[in-house]
Amino acid sequence: MVIFLLLIITGCVYTNYLINFTDNSSDNGSIDPTADIINPSLVPVTNDSQYGPMKYRLVYIRDNIATAKNLEKVESVMVRAKNAGYNGVVFSNHNLEALDSASDNYKKNLDAVKNKADELGLALYPCVLTVGYANAILSHDPNQIEGLPVKDALFVVSHGQANLVSDPDISLPGGNFESAVSNRFVGWDSQEKPGYYTFADSSIKHAGSQSMRIDAKGGVNRIFKTVDVAPYRQYHLSFWMKTQDITNPDAVVPTVKGENGMMLAFQTPAVASTQDWTEYDIVFNSLNNSRVTISLGTWNDVQGKVWFDDASLAEIGLTNVIRRADCPLVVESEDGIVYTEGVDYKSVTDPLLGEVPDPGFYSIYHPSPPIILTSNSRIREGERLRVSFYSAISTDHGMVSVSLTSPEAQAIFRNQIIDVKDALHPSGYFINYDEIRVGNWEASDKPRTQGQLLANSIRSNYNLIRSVSPGTTIFVWNDMFDPYVNAVDNYYLCNGSVDGSYEGLARDMVIVNWNYNDKTYMNSLKFWSGRGNPMILAGYYDGLGLPIGQWLNDASNSGVNVAGAMYTTWDYNYTDLEEFANEAWGGAK
């Protein structure tokens, strides 16, 4: 999510903002734990608005300005924002992550955005380092994706090449849904409400004589199977699905859980409300589990009909294998002889890694490349090999994370900051650390937790920006550093707790807080206030009606200082831009 631009005060004369927030980092970027925490109750309050100082009055704009039409839309929002009293724009677009390969037309339009911001007196804050939605960053080098380890997969040599053999042998009994007794399918362990919401349907099927139909009426309707697997192996779940009049397609999601209930698969199928038979692929790593439980069906809040058919499960090999130094590939015999790449077998790559459908995007599943022996290989025909490697993984609708420890990735980060500085000379940068859902599995990541890895990474990139653009304002989303949002245990496919990630944040970094969860938002406010970081409340969220005025009022009544507010839309909905400004700071200044 996100981006930043901001700050040029117009109209009224403002008192100097609160306090001089200083960076208590040492030269190597570490945070001094003995530094004084700023007490927000001691910060003087001005009369810029009824809720206190509004130094940052921002609007978030995310758009691809490659076309004249989109550029016109962006400039129109900027003009409206200026007239409503905003003083900065946070600008987000994937092309900012790859300006070295952006078109000349895009660069020309980016110049136009900068010129419009200067003309209106709006500070411009570009989003950079989008490491959780990292497709554009990974277009530079798809091997910089964060991976999961595969250990000791069995490959057997035949006719000069080695291919994976499932170990143990694995299948999904009953996956073809051909056998059922009173609508209860044979081969599955359990099924919710057979004959009421789940049915054997012989009139509509993908293949064979019947399928499983779900008549969804708002409840949870699934079928389950537990299977034996090997730890740290890569598996492919495939199935066919048809839908009719589904009200909430994103809730038609298969699940794969480990023995302790941990979710292992987070890929969300792209499902239409009504569609014909479509094949879906889910790839997951078993991690430390010897058994996994698979479910197919619907979750809550779904109305309509869904059919499933021809589901299968198989172990897979080198699909999306990552090749870089800190993700080693090891090929050895079962008696411990380690074979040499380039001597015993040819270089191993997956030519489709990070190339489907475009550079920086990863297909969930495709056939695995083989290991091809050289002419003078020590590996014998029929030999059983054990192969360990790292494979790329995605979550949701193709979301991927870039490595936070790879030196090559760090070089890409530095080049991006330099390119953005040269193109925009911005007032600051918005570090887009957000929804980082895979991490801390690579050899170079140990022995940290995911929280420690994130702390080290944000500290390093804070220092990177300071070295390229000294004195600029630096913003960051709260969620990956907030113990009341994502800085928690068991966060997606992160190895180790994310807690403690906030230790890497310098005290002068501006926290952009979008946590307006009814149960935890006050905890977030007090947490960041207690750390002494300036804080902006990012309200709106596309018509959900989050009351920015109430949020600011609650903060004020609790002695929590807020440095500003940002109109935040993910769907390019600026209908309430002026109303938001009126509620947050009284509108035009």
Side-chain angles (χ1 to χ4, degrees):
M1 329 187 292
V2 97
I3 23 205
F4 249 83
L5 50 62
L6 184 59
L7 187 61
I8 282 183
I9 300 173
T10 62
C12 300
V13 176
Y14 285 72
T15 55
N16 289 332
Y17 174 59
L18 305 178
I19 187 167
N20 181 21
F21 287 94
T22 57
D23 171 23
N24 293 305
S25 302
S26 63
D27 289 342
N28 65 7
S30 62
I31 300 297
D32 179 4
T34 65
D36 292 337
I37 300 293
I38 296 172
N39 184 342
S41 65
L42 301 180
V43 176
V45 176
T46 67
N47 295 317
D48 294 335
S49 82
Q50 59 179 316
Y51 306 113
M54 284 282 115
K55 180 177 183 180
Y56 302 108
R57 305 188 303 279
L58 307 181
V59 57
Y60 174 88
I61 303 178
R62 179 175 60 185
D63 207 339
N64 183 359
I65 53 170
T67 68
K69 180 179 179 180
N70 285 354
L71 174 61
E72 183 179 352
K73 284 166 47 185
V74 168
E75 291 182 333
S76 174
V77 172
M78 293 170 71
V79 171
R80 286 176 57 197
K82 171 65 176 180
N83 292 336
Y86 293 81
N87 60 17
V89 176
V90 174
F91 183 67
S92 175
N93 178 244
H94 68 276
N95 282 302
L96 292 175
E97 313 285 349
L99 281 176
D100 54 342
S101 59
S103 67
D104 290 341
N105 188 62
Y106 180 86
K107 293 176 181 178
K108 175 176 68 85
N109 289 349
L110 188 61
D111 285 340
V113 170
K114 172 178 171 49
N115 292 336
K116 177 60 71 172
D118 290 343
E119 172 192 327
L120 295 172
L122 294 171
L124 187 60
Y125 297 95
C127 280
V128 295
L129 306 178
T130 306
V131 300
Y133 297 79
N135 304 90
I137 289 177
L138 290 166
S139 68
H140 296 90
D141 181 355
N143 285 291
Q144 300 309 314
I145 189 172
E146 184 71 28
L148 296 180
V150 176
K151 300 180 181 180
D152 297 325
L154 175 62
F155 281 64
V156 177
V157 178
S158 176
H159 298 94
Q161 65 181 38
N163 287 286
L164 181 126
V165 174
S166 183
D167 175 38
D169 191 23
I170 193 170
S171 64
L172 190 61
N176 58 10
F177 297 101
E178 287 298 286
S179 180
V181 178
S182 299
N183 292 298
R184 187 180 295 274
F185 289 95
V186 176
W188 295 84
D189 296 333
S190 62
Q191 178 181 339
E192 293 174 328
K193 306 176 183 69
Y196 292 91
Y197 300 119
T198 56
F199 303 88
D201 190 335
S202 59
S203 62
I204 297 178
K205 64 270 188 183
H206 173 255
S209 62
Q210 64 183 20
S211 67
M212 180 181 73
R213 185 183 83 244
I214 295 175
D215 291 352
K217 299 178 181 178
V220 177
N221 304 285
R222 293 168 296 172
I223 192 167
F224 298 85
K225 181 64 181 179
T226 298
V227 296
D228 293 332
V229 296
Y232 294 101
R233 299 286 178 80
Q234 190 168 216
Y235 293 94
H236 173 217
L237 171 65
S238 174
F239 57 93
W240 288 80
M241 182 166 57
K242 173 183 170 70
T243 64
Q244 180 180 313
D245 300 327
I246 289 295
T247 56
N248 185 11
D250 278 349
V252 185
V253 181
T255 65
V256 181
K257 291 186 177 181
E259 294 168 282
N260 62 356
M262 176 184 177
M263 195 77 75
L264 299 175
F266 293 95
Q267 291 145 1
T268 304
V271 180
S273 177
T274 298
Q275 65 179 36
D276 204 352
W277 287 106
T278 304
E279 187 176 19
Y280 291 93
D281 299 302
I282 301 293
V283 169
F284 65 94
N285 190 302
S286 56
L287 299 180
N288 62 346
N289 296 280
S290 297
R291 307 186 86 197
V292 299
T293 299
I294 292 168
S295 78
L296 299 175
T298 64
W299 292 80
N300 285 316
D301 302 322
V302 176
Q303 304 279 340
K305 296 181 185 295
V306 184
W307 291 263
F308 289 92
D309 206 353
D310 296 322
S312 64
L313 181 67
E315 184 179 352
I316 58 174
L318 292 161
T319 298
N320 286 326
V321 60
I322 301 170
R323 300 311 315 274
R324 65 171 189 272
D326 48 2
C327 290
L329 179 141
V330 178
V331 176
E332 59 184 322
S333 68
E334 289 197 312
D335 56 2
I337 300 174
V338 177
Y339 294 112
T340 303
E341 189 170 11
V343 176
D344 296 300
Y345 58 94
K346 296 181 180 180
S347 177
V348 175
T349 60
D350 183 348
L352 298 182
L353 177 76
E355 297 292 341
V356 180
D358 298 300
F361 290 83
Y362 297 73
S363 70
I364 293 175
Y365 171 75
H366 52 263
S368 302
I371 298 174
I372 300 175
L373 275 56
T374 61
S375 59
N376 60 345
S377 176
R378 294 175 292 166
I379 303 173
R380 302 179 305 278
E381 181 75 8
E383 186 170 354
R384 291 162 58 93
L385 306 173
R386 293 294 173 174
V387 180
S388 300
F389 57 95
Y390 288 78
S391 62
I393 197 74
S394 61
T395 63
D396 300 272
H397 296 289
M399 186 187 303
V400 289
S401 298
V402 67
S403 171
L404 297 179
T405 55
S406 166
E408 292 84 0
Q410 196 64 38
I412 294 172
F413 297 162
R414 181 175 184 83
N415 289 338
Q416 187 206 2
I417 299 303
I418 292 172
D419 288 346
V420 170
K421 176 192 175 183
D422 292 344
L424 295 175
H425 299 285
S427 301
Y429 300 83
F430 194 108
I431 298 181
N432 206 15
Y433 274 37
D434 179 46
E435 310 293 349
I436 304 169
R437 295 179 174 177
V438 184
N440 199 40
W441 293 101
E442 299 166 12
S444 60
D445 294 339
K446 304 300 180 292
R448 308 179 183 115
T449 66
Q450 174 71 352
Q452 291 168 332
L453 185 151
L454 275 172
N456 289 346
S457 175
I458 193 70
R459 183 183 299 123
S460 174
N461 283 318
Y462 170 89
N463 289 337
L464 166 61
I465 293 175
R466 284 278 175 258
S467 70
V468 173
S469 294
T472 56
T473 307
I474 301 176
F475 306 86
V476 68
W477 292 113
N478 69 304
D479 60 310
M480 292 309 305
F481 306 95
D482 193 322
Y484 300 100
V485 188
N486 295 341
V488 295
D489 297 341
N490 301 318
Y491 181 70
Y492 284 82
L493 294 172
C494 292
N495 185 22
S497 176
V498 187
D499 185 37
S501 54
Y502 54 82
E503 295 291 352
L505 298 174
R507 301 296 173 81
D508 65 347
M509 293 184 73
V510 182
I511 303 301
V512 183
N513 185 351
W514 56 266
N515 180 25
Y516 196 75
N517 181 294
D518 287 343
K519 297 180 180 179
T520 63
Y521 77 96
M522 285 305 302
N523 292 329
S524 286
L525 287 174
K526 293 177 180 179
F527 175 79
W528 293 113
S529 178
R531 286 201 85 247
N533 288 87
M535 179 168 48
I536 292 172
L537 303 186
Y540 181 68
Y541 316 133
D542 307 304
L544 294 181
L546 294 185
I548 186 63
Q550 183 62 49
W551 198 2
L552 287 164
N553 190 61
D554 291 344
S556 178
N557 289 340
S558 299
V560 173
N561 177 65
V562 174
M566 182 171 74
Y567 183 96
T568 312
T569 170
W570 314 135
D571 294 334
Y572 211 87
N573 185 350
Y574 295 95
T575 304
D576 299 318
L577 185 67
E578 289 79 9
E579 182 179 347
F580 181 93
N582 287 332
E583 191 171 351
W585 54 77
K589 295 290 183 178

